[in-house]
Amino acid sequence: MLSSNDNDSSIVLAKDKPAEPFKPSEAIVSNEAIEIIVIVVDLCLSFIVANVGIVSNIIVIVVFAKQGYSESMNISMTAIAIWDLLKCTSGSIQRMSGPISLFSQANAQSWENIMTVAMVYLICFATYVSSVLAAYVAVERCLCVTLPFTVKTLLTPKVTFISMATISVSVFGCFVVIFGIYDIIWVYSSKWNKTIAVYRHSLFYKTHEGPLMQYYNLSGVIWPSVSFVVIIVCTSIIICQLKKASKFRSGNAVSSSLSGLAYSTSTMSDRDRQIIKMLLVIIIIYVTNLFPRMALYMAKFLIYDFYYLRKYHNLFRVMAYWIFAFDFMNATANLFVFLTMSTNFRVTAKALFGFGRKNSKA
């Protein structure tokens, strides 16, 4: 969704006002270095991982749909997979400039500039939504460990579905306004000797730059930070309770003086404990992915020139490329975690797609 201040078109034709494309400062990172990083990290690594992520998340969604949604975990994991699929699809589309460049460098540049406006923020916001959903899953699993009997009656599949939908709409809705800060214009490029598409700040951005960017920067810091803290706290509680339950079982204790919490945790089924361990791995992956993104946004919040179309445009691009690569890896990893740690998921996947069928026969 792009913004135009003159009409409803997403592309603004600027034939009457010729302008040169933005020339970034080469402070810290040179333009030559950027070109190499773009090819290696963005157009190769991220493009490959994003396409793998498209396939892996489709498989996850299909498997959970086949299993049904009588369990809340299937609903929450499907919701996360849908956002991860959106993220990987957007990333793959944006990086089609690589294949396009084999035929036309100028068209590839236009595609990259247009998709930077259309897809970069979509990838970021999908990441925020999936991280908040992961925080919800962490809270849910934490309650399952500490209050297993109460939670099963309260956190029904219907409640989980409503929660997933509410979080998705609320978090994504907080960032929709940011899609209007750039315009796409067509200008003549002396480098390509051809008119190409470039992006520039819109009139909406110039009119509301101060409060708009403060709101965006704060939102970009608050949502991941809150998710990060919630995930860390809940994960720590889960690990502690599982350790207590393990000691309780290994000690063969029968004393009634043991706390009800340890007892209720120890009575969890092996399947429930395995699900929690699997989700712990997924949560740890999210923590690993959130930390560098939080650091990037804190730097952007504190240093005004550390952003697109400003002094440190090139440096921000380098950091953003690596952040996106980690985002796509995170979005791709869940399938392999499920296949490794969930027996039910693995059995269903084998039945649908034949994963490991030869090994199972052997």
Side-chain angles (χ1 to χ4, degrees), residues 64 73 242 270-285 333-347:
F64 281 130
M73 190 203 75
L242 289 179
D270 290 338
R271 179 176 178 275
D272 288 338
R273 283 191 292 270
Q274 184 63 24
I275 288 175
I276 290 173
K277 290 178 182 178
M278 177 187 69
L279 293 177
L280 280 176
V281 174
I282 295 174
I283 288 169
I284 290 171
I285 293 173
N334 288 351
L335 170 65
F336 304 101
V337 175
F338 293 145
L339 288 174
T340 303
M341 303 189 68
S342 174
T343 303
N344 285 346
F345 186 94
R346 188 165 55 250
V347 169

Side-chain angles (χ1 to χ4, degrees), residues 209-325:
E209 176 181 1
L212 181 64
M213 294 313 295
Q214 287 180 0
Y215 167 78
Y216 174 54
N217 290 335
L218 283 174
S219 299
V221 171
I222 290 173
W223 282 113
S225 300
V226 171
S227 300
F228 184 85
V229 172
V230 170
I231 288 173
I232 290 293
V233 172
C234 291
T235 302
S236 300
I237 294 174
I238 292 171
I239 292 174
C240 289
Q241 297 305 322
L242 289 179
K243 285 184 177 180
K244 287 182 181 180
S246 178
K247 290 180 181 179
F248 175 79
R249 290 191 304 274
S250 62
N252 295 320
V254 294
S255 174
S256 60
S257 63
L258 291 173
S259 67
L261 178 63
Y263 176 77
S264 62
T265 308
S266 67
T267 57
M268 292 171 57
S269 67
D270 290 338
R271 179 176 178 275
D272 288 338
R273 283 191 292 270
Q274 184 63 24
I275 288 175
I276 290 173
K277 290 178 182 178
M278 177 187 69
L279 293 177
L280 280 176
V281 174
I282 295 174
I283 288 169
I284 290 171
I285 293 173
Y286 271 96
V287 169
T288 305
N289 182 58
L290 280 175
F291 185 77
R293 178 170 287 279
M294 289 168 54
L296 178 71
Y297 273 81
M298 284 298 295
K300 181 169 70 72
F301 182 74
L302 297 173
I303 304 172
Y304 174 82
D305 286 324
F306 185 61
Y307 199 55
Y308 292 116
L309 302 182
R310 295 175 184 168
K311 181 178 179 181
Y312 300 115
H313 174 90
N314 282 356
L315 178 60
F316 187 84
R317 286 181 66 191
V318 172
M319 301 305 297
Y321 290 146
W322 282 110
I323 293 295
F324 286 133

Side-chain angles (χ1 to χ4, degrees), residues 2-7 9 12 17 117 177-185 199-213 309:
L2 306 179
S3 171
S4 169
N5 300 295
D6 301 323
N7 50 46
S9 174
V12 180
K17 297 180 180 180
V117 175
V177 66
I178 304 301
F179 285 106
I181 69 175
Y182 292 113
D183 281 335
I184 297 296
I185 64 173
Y199 57 92
R200 68 178 181 184
H201 288 130
S202 65
L203 179 60
F204 171 73
Y205 171 85
K206 293 174 182 178
T207 304
H208 307 284
E209 176 181 1
L212 181 64
M213 294 313 295
L309 302 182

Side-chain angles (χ1 to χ4, degrees), residues 53-70:
I54 292 173
V55 177
S56 66
N57 282 289
I58 289 175
I59 292 173
V60 169
I61 294 170
V62 170
V63 170
F64 281 130
K66 178 66 175 178
Q67 291 181 343
Y69 297 110
S70 59

